[in-house]
Coordinates of all heavy atoms in Angstrom, one line a residue:
M1 N 0.8 -1.2 0.0 CA 0.0 0.0 0.0 C 0.9 1.3 0.0 O 0.5 2.3 -0.6 CB -0.9 0.0 1.2 CG -2.2 -0.9 1.0 SD -3.4 -0.7 2.3 CE -3.0 -2.1 3.3
E2 N 2.0 1.2 0.6 CA 2.9 2.3 0.6 C 3.4 2.6 -0.8 O 3.6 3.8 -1.1 CB 4.1 2.1 1.6 CG 3.7 2.0 3.0 CD 4.9 1.7 3.9 OE1 5.8 1.1 3.5 OE2 4.8 2.0 5.1
R3 N 3.6 1.6 -1.6 CA 4.0 1.8 -2.9 C 2.9 2.5 -3.8 O 3.2 3.3 -4.6 CB 4.4 0.5 -3.6 CG 5.6 -0.1 -3.0 CD 6.0 -1.3 -3.8 NE 7.1 -2.0 -3.1 CZ 7.4 -3.2 -3.2 NH1 6.6 -4.0 -4.0 NH2 8.4 -3.8 -2.6
L4 N 1.6 2.2 -3.5 CA 0.5 2.7 -4.2 C 0.4 4.2 -3.9 O 0.1 5.0 -4.9 CB -0.8 2.0 -3.8 CG -0.9 0.6 -4.3 CD1 -2.2 0.0 -3.8 CD2 -0.9 0.5 -5.9
C5 N 0.5 4.7 -2.7 CA 0.4 6.1 -2.4 C 1.7 6.8 -2.4 O 1.7 8.0 -2.2 CB -0.3 6.3 -1.1 SG 0.6 5.8 0.4
S6 N 2.8 6.1 -2.7 CA 4.1 6.7 -2.9 C 4.6 7.5 -1.7 O 5.3 8.5 -1.8 CB 4.3 7.5 -4.2 OG 3.5 8.7 -4.1
S7 N 4.1 7.2 -0.5 CA 4.6 7.8 0.7 C 4.3 6.8 1.9 O 3.5 5.9 1.8 CB 3.8 9.1 1.0 OG 2.4 8.8 1.3
P8 N 5.1 6.9 2.9 CA 4.9 6.0 4.0 C 3.6 6.2 4.7 O 3.1 7.3 4.8 CB 6.1 6.3 5.0 CG 6.6 7.6 4.6 CD 6.2 7.8 3.1
L9 N 3.0 5.1 5.1 CA 1.7 5.2 5.8 C 1.9 5.5 7.3 O 3.1 5.5 7.8 CB 1.0 3.8 5.7 CG 0.5 3.5 4.3 CD1 0.0 2.1 4.2 CD2 -0.5 4.5 3.7
H10 N 0.9 5.8 8.0 CA 1.0 6.2 9.4 C 1.6 5.0 10.2 O 1.4 3.9 9.9 CB -0.5 6.5 9.9 CG -0.4 7.3 11.2 ND1 -0.4 6.7 12.4 CD2 -0.5 8.6 11.4 CE1 -0.4 7.6 13.3 NE2 -0.4 8.8 12.7
E11 N 2.3 5.4 11.3 CA 3.0 4.4 12.1 C 2.0 3.5 12.8 O 2.4 2.4 13.2 CB 3.9 5.1 13.1 CG 3.2 6.0 14.1 CD 4.1 6.9 14.9 OE1 5.1 7.4 14.3 OE2 3.8 7.1 16.0
N12 N 0.8 3.9 13.1 CA -0.2 3.1 13.8 C -0.5 1.8 12.9 O -0.9 0.8 13.5 CB -1.5 3.8 14.1 CG -1.3 4.8 15.2 OD1 -0.3 4.8 15.9 ND2 -2.2 5.7 15.3
I13 N -0.4 2.0 11.6 CA -0.7 0.8 10.7 C 0.3 -0.3 10.9 O -0.1 -1.4 11.1 CB -0.8 1.3 9.3 CG1 -1.9 2.3 9.1 CG2 -0.9 0.1 8.3 CD1 -2.0 3.0 7.7
S14 N 1.6 0.1 10.9 CA 2.6 -1.0 11.1 C 2.6 -1.5 12.5 O 2.8 -2.7 12.7 CB 4.0 -0.4 10.7 OG 4.3 0.6 11.6
S15 N 2.3 -0.7 13.5 CA 2.2 -1.2 14.9 C 1.0 -2.1 15.1 O 1.2 -3.1 15.8 CB 2.2 0.0 15.9 OG 1.0 0.7 15.8
A16 N -0.1 -1.8 14.4 CA -1.2 -2.7 14.5 C -0.9 -4.1 13.9 O -1.3 -5.1 14.4 CB -2.5 -2.1 13.9
L17 N -0.2 -4.0 12.8 CA 0.1 -5.3 12.1 C 1.1 -6.1 13.0 O 1.0 -7.3 13.1 CB 0.7 -5.0 10.7 CG -0.3 -4.5 9.7 CD1 0.4 -4.0 8.4 CD2 -1.2 -5.6 9.3
D18 N 2.1 -5.4 13.6 CA 3.0 -6.1 14.5 C 2.3 -6.7 15.7 O 2.6 -7.8 16.1 CB 4.1 -5.1 15.0 CG 5.0 -4.7 13.8 OD1 5.1 -5.4 12.8 OD2 5.7 -3.6 14.0
K19 N 1.4 -6.0 16.3 CA 0.6 -6.5 17.4 C -0.2 -7.7 17.0 O -0.3 -8.7 17.8 CB -0.3 -5.4 17.9 CG -1.1 -5.7 19.1 CD -0.3 -5.9 20.4 CE -1.2 -6.1 21.6 NZ -0.4 -6.6 22.7
H20 N -0.8 -7.7 15.8 CA -1.6 -8.8 15.3 C -0.7 -10.0 15.2 O -1.0 -11.1 15.6 CB -2.2 -8.5 14.0 CG -3.2 -9.5 13.5 ND1 -2.9 -10.3 12.4 CD2 -4.4 -9.9 14.0 CE1 -3.9 -11.1 12.2 NE2 -4.8 -10.9 13.1
L21 N 0.5 -9.9 14.6 CA 1.4 -11.0 14.4 C 1.9 -11.5 15.8 O 2.0 -12.7 16.0 CB 2.6 -10.5 13.6 CG 3.6 -11.6 13.2 CD1 3.0 -12.7 12.4 CD2 4.8 -11.0 12.5
E22 N 2.1 -10.6 16.7 CA 2.5 -11.0 18.1 C 1.4 -11.8 18.7 O 1.7 -12.9 19.4 CB 2.8 -9.8 18.9 CG 3.3 -10.1 20.3 CD 3.5 -8.8 21.1 OE1 3.9 -7.8 20.5 OE2 3.2 -8.8 22.3
S23 N 0.2 -11.4 18.5 CA -0.9 -12.2 19.1 C -1.1 -13.5 18.5 O -1.4 -14.5 19.2 CB -2.2 -11.4 18.9 OG -2.2 -10.2 19.5
I24 N -0.8 -13.7 17.2 CA -0.8 -15.0 16.6 C 0.2 -15.9 17.2 O 0.0 -17.1 17.5 CB -0.6 -14.8 15.0 CG1 -1.9 -14.2 14.4 CG2 -0.4 -16.2 14.4 CD1 -1.7 -13.8 13.0
H25 N 1.4 -15.4 17.4 CA 2.5 -16.2 18.0 C 2.2 -16.6 19.4 O 2.5 -17.7 19.8 CB 3.8 -15.4 17.9 CG 4.4 -15.2 16.6 ND1 4.7 -16.3 15.8 CD2 4.6 -14.1 15.8 CE1 5.2 -15.8 14.6 NE2 5.2 -14.5 14.6
V26 N 1.5 -15.7 20.2 CA 1.1 -16.1 21.5 C 0.1 -17.2 21.5 O 0.2 -18.2 22.3 CB 0.6 -14.8 22.3 CG1 -0.1 -15.2 23.6 CG2 1.7 -13.8 22.5
V27 N -0.9 -17.1 20.6 CA -1.9 -18.2 20.6 C -1.3 -19.5 20.1 O -1.6 -20.6 20.7 CB -3.1 -17.8 19.6 CG1 -4.0 -18.9 19.3 CG2 -3.9 -16.6 20.3
Q28 N -0.4 -19.4 19.2 CA 0.3 -20.7 18.8 C 1.1 -21.3 19.9 O 1.0 -22.5 20.1 CB 1.3 -20.4 17.6 CG 0.6 -20.1 16.3 CD 1.5 -19.7 15.2 OE1 2.6 -19.2 15.4 NE2 1.1 -19.9 13.9
A29 N 1.8 -20.5 20.7 CA 2.5 -21.0 21.8 C 1.6 -21.6 22.9 O 1.9 -22.7 23.4 CB 3.4 -19.9 22.4
R30 N 0.5 -20.9 23.2 CA -0.5 -21.4 24.2 C -1.1 -22.7 23.7 O -1.3 -23.6 24.5 CB -1.6 -20.4 24.4 CG -1.1 -19.1 25.0 CD -0.5 -19.3 26.4 NE -0.1 -18.0 26.9 CZ 1.1 -17.6 27.0 NH1 2.1 -18.3 26.6 NH2 1.4 -16.4 27.5
R31 N -1.3 -22.8 22.4 CA -1.9 -24.1 21.8 C -0.9 -25.2 22.0 O -1.3 -26.3 22.3 CB -2.3 -23.8 20.4 CG -3.0 -25.0 19.7 CD -4.3 -25.3 20.3 NE -4.9 -26.5 19.6 CZ -5.4 -27.6 20.2 NH1 -5.4 -27.6 21.5 NH2 -5.8 -28.5 19.4
K32 N 0.3 -24.9 21.7 CA 1.4 -26.0 21.9 C 1.4 -26.4 23.3 O 1.5 -27.6 23.6 CB 2.7 -25.5 21.4 CG 2.8 -25.4 19.9 CD 4.2 -24.8 19.5 CE 4.3 -24.6 18.0 NZ 5.6 -24.0 17.6
D33 N 1.3 -25.5 24.2 CA 1.3 -25.8 25.7 C 0.2 -26.7 26.0 O 0.3 -27.7 26.8 CB 1.3 -24.6 26.5 CG 2.6 -23.8 26.5 OD1 3.6 -24.3 26.0 OD2 2.5 -22.6 26.9
E34 N -1.0 -26.4 25.4 CA -2.2 -27.2 25.7 C -2.0 -28.6 25.2 O -2.4 -29.6 25.8 CB -3.4 -26.5 25.1 CG -4.7 -27.3 25.4 CD -5.9 -26.7 24.6 OE1 -5.7 -26.1 23.5 OE2 -7.0 -26.9 25.0
I35 N -1.4 -28.8 24.0 CA -1.2 -30.1 23.4 C -0.3 -30.9 24.2 O -0.5 -32.1 24.5 CB -0.8 -29.9 21.9 CG1 -1.9 -29.4 21.1 CG2 -0.3 -31.3 21.4 CD1 -1.5 -29.0 19.7
V36 N 0.8 -30.3 24.7 CA 1.8 -31.0 25.5 C 1.2 -31.4 26.8 O 1.4 -32.5 27.3 CB 3.0 -30.1 25.7 CG1 3.9 -30.6 26.9 CG2 3.8 -29.9 24.5
N37 N 0.4 -30.5 27.4 CA -0.3 -30.8 28.7 C -1.3 -31.9 28.5 O -1.4 -32.8 29.4 CB -1.0 -29.5 29.2 CG -1.5 -29.7 30.6 OD1 -0.9 -30.5 31.4 ND2 -2.5 -29.0 31.0
A38 N -2.0 -31.9 27.4 CA -3.0 -33.0 27.2 C -2.3 -34.4 27.0 O -2.8 -35.4 27.4 CB -3.8 -32.7 25.9
S39 N -1.2 -34.4 26.3 CA -0.5 -35.6 26.1 C 0.2 -36.1 27.3 O 0.2 -37.3 27.6 CB 0.6 -35.5 25.0 OG 1.6 -34.6 25.4
S40 N 0.7 -35.3 28.2 CA 1.3 -35.7 29.4 C 0.2 -36.1 30.4 O 0.4 -37.0 31.3 CB 2.1 -34.6 30.1 OG 1.3 -33.5 30.5
R41 N -1.0 -35.6 30.3 CA -2.1 -35.9 31.2 C -2.6 -37.3 30.9 O -2.9 -38.1 31.8 CB -3.3 -34.9 31.0 CG -4.4 -35.2 32.0 CD -5.6 -34.3 31.8 NE -6.0 -34.4 30.4 CZ -6.7 -33.5 29.7 NH1 -7.0 -32.3 30.3 NH2 -7.1 -33.7 28.5
Q42 N -2.5 -37.8 29.7 CA -2.9 -39.1 29.3 C -2.0 -40.2 30.0 O -2.4 -41.3 30.3 CB -3.0 -39.3 27.8 CG -4.1 -38.6 27.2 CD -4.1 -38.7 25.7 OE1 -3.1 -39.2 25.1 NE2 -5.1 -38.2 25.0
R43 N -0.7 -39.8 30.1 CA 0.3 -40.7 30.7 C 0.3 -40.7 32.2 O 0.5 -41.8 32.8 CB 1.7 -40.3 30.2 CG 1.9 -40.7 28.8 CD 3.4 -40.4 28.4 NE 3.3 -39.4 27.4 CZ 4.2 -38.4 27.3 NH1 5.2 -38.3 28.2 NH2 4.1 -37.5 26.4
H44 N 0.1 -39.6 32.8 CA 0.3 -39.5 34.3 C -1.0 -39.3 35.1 O -0.9 -39.1 36.3 CB 1.2 -38.4 34.6 CG 2.6 -38.5 34.0 ND1 3.4 -39.6 34.2 CD2 3.2 -37.8 33.1 CE1 4.5 -39.5 33.5 NE2 4.4 -38.4 32.8
G45 N -2.1 -39.3 34.5 CA -3.3 -39.0 35.2 C -3.7 -37.5 35.1 O -2.9 -36.7 34.7
P46 N -4.9 -37.1 35.6 CA -5.4 -35.7 35.4 C -4.9 -34.7 36.4 O -5.5 -34.7 37.5 CB -6.9 -35.9 35.4 CG -7.1 -37.1 36.2 CD -5.9 -38.0 36.1
P47 N -3.9 -33.9 36.2 CA -3.6 -32.8 37.1 C -4.6 -31.7 36.8 O -4.4 -30.9 35.8 CB -2.2 -32.4 36.8 CG -2.0 -32.9 35.4 CD -2.9 -34.0 35.2
R48 N -5.7 -31.6 37.4 CA -6.8 -30.7 37.1 C -6.4 -29.2 37.1 O -6.8 -28.5 36.2 CB -7.9 -31.0 38.0 CG -9.3 -30.6 37.5 CD -9.7 -31.4 36.4 NE -10.9 -30.8 35.9 CZ -11.3 -30.8 34.6 NH1 -10.6 -31.4 33.7 NH2 -12.5 -30.3 34.3
C49 N -5.8 -28.7 38.1 CA -5.5 -27.3 38.3 C -4.6 -26.8 37.2 O -4.9 -25.7 36.6 CB -4.9 -27.1 39.6 SG -4.7 -25.3 40.0
Q50 N -3.5 -27.5 36.9 CA -2.6 -27.0 35.8 C -3.3 -27.0 34.5 O -3.1 -26.1 33.7 CB -1.4 -27.9 35.8 CG -0.4 -27.4 34.8 CD 0.9 -28.3 34.8 OE1 0.8 -29.4 35.3 NE2 1.9 -27.8 34.1
D51 N -4.2 -28.0 34.2 CA -4.9 -28.0 32.9 C -5.8 -26.8 32.8 O -5.9 -26.2 31.7 CB -5.7 -29.3 32.9 CG -6.4 -29.5 31.5 OD1 -5.8 -29.2 30.5 OD2 -7.6 -29.9 31.5
E52 N -6.4 -26.4 33.8 CA -7.3 -25.2 33.8 C -6.5 -23.9 33.5 O -7.0 -23.1 32.8 CB -8.1 -25.1 35.1 CG -9.2 -26.2 35.2 CD -9.9 -26.1 36.6 OE1 -9.5 -25.3 37.4 OE2 -10.8 -26.9 36.8
R53 N -5.3 -23.9 34.1 CA -4.5 -22.7 33.8 C -4.0 -22.6 32.4 O -4.0 -21.5 31.8 CB -3.3 -22.7 34.7 CG -3.6 -22.2 36.1 CD -2.3 -22.0 36.9 NE -2.3 -23.1 37.9 CZ -1.3 -23.8 38.2 NH1 -0.1 -23.6 37.7 NH2 -1.4 -24.8 39.1
V54 N -3.7 -23.7 31.8 CA -3.3 -23.8 30.4 C -4.4 -23.3 29.5 O -4.3 -22.5 28.6 CB -2.8 -25.2 30.0 CG1 -2.5 -25.3 28.5 CG2 -1.5 -25.5 30.8
V55 N -5.6 -23.8 29.7 CA -6.8 -23.5 28.9 C -7.1 -22.0 29.1 O -7.5 -21.3 28.2 CB -8.0 -24.4 29.3 CG1 -9.3 -23.9 28.6 CG2 -7.7 -25.8 28.9
L56 N -7.0 -21.5 30.3 CA -7.3 -20.1 30.6 C -6.3 -19.2 29.9 O -6.7 -18.2 29.4 CB -7.3 -19.9 32.1 CG -7.9 -18.6 32.6 CD1 -9.4 -18.5 32.2 CD2 -7.8 -18.5 34.1
A57 N -5.0 -19.6 29.9 CA -4.0 -18.8 29.2 C -4.3 -18.8 27.7 O -4.2 -17.8 27.0 CB -2.6 -19.4 29.4
L58 N -4.8 -19.9 27.1 CA -5.2 -20.0 25.7 C -6.4 -19.1 25.5 O -6.4 -18.3 24.5 CB -5.5 -21.4 25.3 CG -6.0 -21.6 23.9 CD1 -4.9 -21.2 22.9 CD2 -6.4 -23.0 23.6
A59 N -7.3 -19.0 26.4 CA -8.5 -18.2 26.2 C -8.1 -16.7 26.2 O -8.6 -15.9 25.4 CB -9.5 -18.5 27.3
V60 N -7.2 -16.3 27.1 CA -6.7 -15.0 27.2 C -6.0 -14.6 25.9 O -6.2 -13.5 25.3 CB -5.8 -14.8 28.4 CG1 -5.1 -13.4 28.3 CG2 -6.6 -14.9 29.7
G61 N -5.2 -15.5 25.4 CA -4.5 -15.3 24.1 C -5.5 -15.1 22.9 O -5.3 -14.3 22.1
L62 N -6.5 -15.9 22.9 CA -7.5 -15.8 21.9 C -8.3 -14.5 21.9 O -8.6 -13.9 20.9 CB -8.5 -17.0 21.9 CG -8.0 -18.3 21.4 CD1 -8.9 -19.4 21.7 CD2 -7.7 -18.2 19.9
R63 N -8.5 -14.0 23.1 CA -9.2 -12.8 23.3 C -8.4 -11.6 22.8 O -8.8 -10.7 22.0 CB -9.5 -12.5 24.8 CG -10.3 -11.2 25.0 CD -10.7 -11.1 26.4 NE -11.7 -10.0 26.6 CZ -11.3 -8.7 26.8 NH1 -10.0 -8.4 26.8 NH2 -12.2 -7.8 26.9
A64 N -7.1 -11.7 23.1 CA -6.1 -10.6 22.6 C -6.0 -10.7 21.1 O -6.0 -9.7 20.4 CB -4.8 -10.8 23.2
L65 N -6.1 -11.9 20.5 CA -6.0 -12.1 19.1 C -7.3 -11.5 18.4 O -7.2 -10.9 17.4 CB -5.8 -13.5 18.7 CG -5.8 -13.9 17.2 CD1 -4.7 -13.1 16.5 CD2 -5.7 -15.3 17.0
C66 N -8.4 -11.7 19.0 CA -9.7 -11.2 18.5 C -9.6 -9.7 18.5 O -10.0 -9.1 17.5 CB -10.8 -11.7 19.4 SG -12.4 -11.1 18.9
L67 N -9.2 -9.1 19.6 CA -9.1 -7.6 19.6 C -8.1 -7.1 18.6 O -8.4 -6.1 17.9 CB -8.7 -7.1 21.0 CG -9.8 -7.4 22.1 CD1 -9.2 -7.1 23.5 CD2 -11.0 -6.7 21.8
A68 N -7.0 -7.7 18.5 CA -6.0 -7.3 17.5 C -6.5 -7.5 16.1 O -6.2 -6.6 15.2 CB -4.7 -8.1 17.7
T69 N -7.2 -8.5 15.8 CA -7.8 -8.7 14.5 C -8.8 -7.7 14.1 O -8.8 -7.1 13.0 CB -8.4 -10.1 14.4 OG1 -7.5 -11.1 14.7 CG2 -9.0 -10.4 13.0
R70 N -9.6 -7.3 15.0 CA -10.6 -6.2 14.8 C -9.9 -4.9 14.5 O -10.2 -4.2 13.5 CB -11.5 -6.0 16.0 CG -12.7 -6.9 15.9 CD -13.7 -6.5 16.9 NE -13.7 -7.5 17.9 CZ -14.1 -7.3 19.2 NH1 -14.5 -6.2 19.6 NH2 -14.0 -8.3 20.0
K71 N -8.8 -4.6 15.3 CA -8.1 -3.4 15.1 C -7.4 -3.4 13.7 O -7.4 -2.4 13.0 CB -7.1 -3.2 16.2 CG -6.4 -1.8 16.1 CD -5.6 -1.5 17.3 CE -5.0 -0.1 17.2 NZ -4.4 0.3 18.4
V72 N -6.7 -4.5 13.4 CA -6.0 -4.6 12.1 C -6.9 -4.5 10.9 O -6.6 -3.9 9.9 CB -5.1 -5.8 12.1 CG1 -5.7 -7.0 11.6 CG2 -3.8 -5.5 11.3
R73 N -8.1 -5.0 11.0 CA -9.1 -4.9 9.9 C -9.4 -3.5 9.7 O -9.5 -3.0 8.5 CB -10.4 -5.7 10.2 CG -10.3 -7.2 9.9 CD -11.6 -7.9 9.9 NE -12.6 -7.2 10.8 CZ -13.4 -7.9 11.6 NH1 -13.3 -9.2 11.7 NH2 -14.3 -7.2 12.3
T74 N -9.7 -2.7 10.8 CA -10.0 -1.3 10.6 C -8.9 -0.5 10.1 O -9.0 0.3 9.2 CB -10.4 -0.8 12.0 OG1 -11.5 -1.5 12.5 CG2 -10.8 0.7 11.9
V75 N -7.7 -0.8 10.6 CA -6.5 -0.1 10.1 C -6.2 -0.4 8.7 O -5.9 0.6 7.9 CB -5.3 -0.5 11.0 CG1 -4.0 -0.1 10.4 CG2 -5.4 0.1 12.4
L76 N -6.4 -1.6 8.2 CA -6.1 -1.9 6.8 C -7.2 -1.3 5.9 O -6.9 -0.9 4.8 CB -6.1 -3.4 6.6 CG -4.8 -4.1 7.1 CD1 -4.9 -5.6 7.0 CD2 -3.6 -3.6 6.4
W77 N -8.4 -1.2 6.4 CA -9.5 -0.5 5.6 C -9.1 1.0 5.5 O -9.2 1.5 4.4 CB -10.8 -0.7 6.3 CG -11.9 0.0 5.6 CD1 -12.6 -0.6 4.5 CD2 -12.5 1.3 5.8 NE1 -13.5 0.3 4.1 CE2 -13.5 1.5 4.8 CE3 -12.2 2.3 6.7 CZ2 -14.2 2.6 4.8 CZ3 -12.9 3.4 6.6 CH2 -13.9 3.6 5.7
C78 N -8.6 1.6 6.6 CA -8.3 3.0 6.5 C -7.1 3.2 5.6 O -7.1 4.1 4.8 CB -7.9 3.5 7.9 SG -9.3 3.6 9.0
A79 N -6.1 2.3 5.6 CA -5.0 2.4 4.7 C -5.4 2.2 3.3 O -4.9 2.9 2.4 CB -3.9 1.3 5.1
F80 N -6.3 1.3 3.0 CA -6.9 1.1 1.7 C -7.6 2.4 1.2 O -7.4 2.8 0.1 CB -7.8 0.0 1.7 CG -8.6 -0.2 0.4 CD1 -7.9 -0.6 -0.8 CD2 -9.9 0.0 0.3 CE1 -8.5 -0.7 -2.0 CE2 -10.6 -0.1 -0.9 CZ -9.9 -0.5 -2.0
Q81 N -8.3 3.0 2.1 CA -9.0 4.3 1.7 C -8.0 5.4 1.4 O -8.3 6.2 0.5 CB -10.0 4.7 2.8 CG -11.1 3.8 3.1 CD -12.0 3.6 1.9 OE1 -12.4 4.6 1.2 NE2 -12.4 2.4 1.6
M82 N -6.9 5.4 2.1 CA -5.9 6.4 1.8 C -5.2 6.2 0.5 O -4.7 7.1 -0.1 CB -4.9 6.4 3.0 CG -5.4 7.0 4.3 SD -4.3 6.7 5.7 CE -2.7 6.9 5.1
T83 N -5.1 5.0 0.0 CA -4.4 4.7 -1.2 C -5.3 4.8 -2.5 O -4.8 4.8 -3.6 CB -3.8 3.2 -1.2 OG1 -4.9 2.3 -1.1 CG2 -2.8 3.1 -0.1
L84 N -6.6 4.9 -2.3 CA -7.5 5.1 -3.4 C -7.2 6.4 -4.1 O -7.0 7.4 -3.5 CB -9.0 5.0 -3.0 CG -9.5 3.6 -2.6 CD1 -10.9 3.8 -2.1 CD2 -9.4 2.6 -3.7
P85 N -7.3 6.4 -5.4 CA -7.2 7.7 -6.1 C -8.3 8.7 -5.8 O -9.4 8.3 -5.6 CB -7.2 7.3 -7.6 CG -7.8 6.0 -7.7 CD -7.6 5.3 -6.3
K86 N -8.0 9.9 -5.8 CA -9.0 10.9 -5.4 C -9.7 11.4 -6.6 O -9.4 11.4 -7.7 CB -8.3 12.1 -4.7 CG -7.7 11.6 -3.4 CD -7.2 12.7 -2.6 CE -6.7 12.3 -1.3 NZ -6.1 11.6 -0.6

């Protein structure tokens, strides 16, 4: 989009994209933790409290990803509007 308007876009656009990517990485890490926890639970029995913490951390990560996705959609729409010919 920066190439289309031949000038750099606002810094909030790149920061929103960075935040979205960071949120994706957090959710991926939490999901891996959940998978590891589920596989170890099958071998050693159910440690209930730790399992709930892992799922809760995943839910928090998903909430942050949802908020970041909404923000990045709005930011990209604004960037698109800025690149349209007048």
Side-chain angles (χ1 to χ4, degrees):
M1 282 189 259
E2 290 176 338
R3 290 181 189 159
L4 291 174
C5 68
S6 68
S7 67
L9 295 173
H10 197 271
E11 62 191 37
N12 287 347
I13 295 171
S14 61
S15 67
L17 289 168
D18 290 340
K19 181 71 174 168
H20 187 252
L21 184 61
E22 180 185 325
S23 298
I24 290 171
H25 290 298
V26 167
V27 169
Q28 286 175 338
R30 298 295 183 256
R31 181 66 178 129
K32 285 179 187 176
D33 292 345
E34 183 188 25
I35 290 170
V36 167
N37 190 27
S39 67
S40 68
R41 184 181 59 202
Q42 289 176 350
R43 284 185 246 143
H44 302 299
R48 200 67 185 150
C49 185
Q50 185 180 12
D51 185 40
E52 290 175 359
R53 277 188 254 139
V54 170
V55 172
L56 196 60
L58 178 62
V60 169
L62 284 172
R63 183 175 189 274
L65 178 60
C66 179
L67 294 173
T69 301
R70 270 190 254 159
K71 185 171 183 171
V72 87
R73 277 191 336 221
T74 303
V75 163
L76 287 175
W77 182 83
C78 291
F80 173 68
Q81 294 297 318
M82 289 171 34
T83 59
L84 289 176
K86 296 190 175 43

